[in-house]
Amino acid sequence: MNKFKKFLEKFFLIDDTPKKIAGGVALGIFLGIFPGEGVLSALFFSTIFRLNRLAATAGVLATNMWMTIIILPLSAGVGSFIFRENYSNLIRQFQTYRQFDTIKETLLFSVSVLYDFALPLLVGFFIVAGAISI
């Protein structure tokens, strides 16, 4: 049990350089805004980039889900501008596809979802999350 406790203390140690802590927070904020599983991604990428894992986890938890909802209109605007899509159609498609109950129904529309809806939104989220985390 003592080894496990020491492992957890080392894994989430905040006693780090300011550069690694700031990098961890920025990574966490980026992954918290970007749709997907932020906590696991933050732990994975902070380990790979040798950033502070606790700071990355805190950044994700501070901005997870609620920030994604707040940033959606801005991300849709950026994505629709870049891909020259209609902003209203993009938001309407988001609301339509969000209502599918099963993965099977979503996969049936995967090509349409990717080109008409998901790609502009993901690019918009990527740019907005990157700008906010910087």
Side-chain angles (χ1 to χ4, degrees), residues 7-79:
F7 171 77
L8 284 179
E9 286 175 359
K10 184 179 176 187
F11 192 76
F12 287 110
L13 187 63
I14 195 70
D15 186 27
D16 216 340
T17 66
K19 185 176 179 180
K20 288 185 178 185
I21 294 170
V25 170
L27 176 70
I29 290 171
F30 175 81
L31 293 172
I33 294 171
F34 198 76
E37 183 54 50
V39 175
L40 294 176
S41 299
L43 290 173
F44 176 76
F45 286 114
S46 62
T47 301
I48 288 177
F49 296 132
R50 296 180 186 246
L51 300 172
N52 189 278
R53 290 179 282 267
L54 179 60
T57 304
V60 164
L61 294 176
T63 58
N64 209 2
M65 295 309 283
W66 65 270
M67 191 65 145
T68 301
I69 294 168
I70 293 171
I71 298 297
L72 174 64
L74 182 59
S75 299
V78 170

Side-chain angles (χ1 to χ4, degrees), residues 116-130:
D116 297 339
F117 160 67
L119 193 58
L121 264 183
L122 289 176
V123 168
F125 268 113
F126 186 80
I127 291 170
V128 170

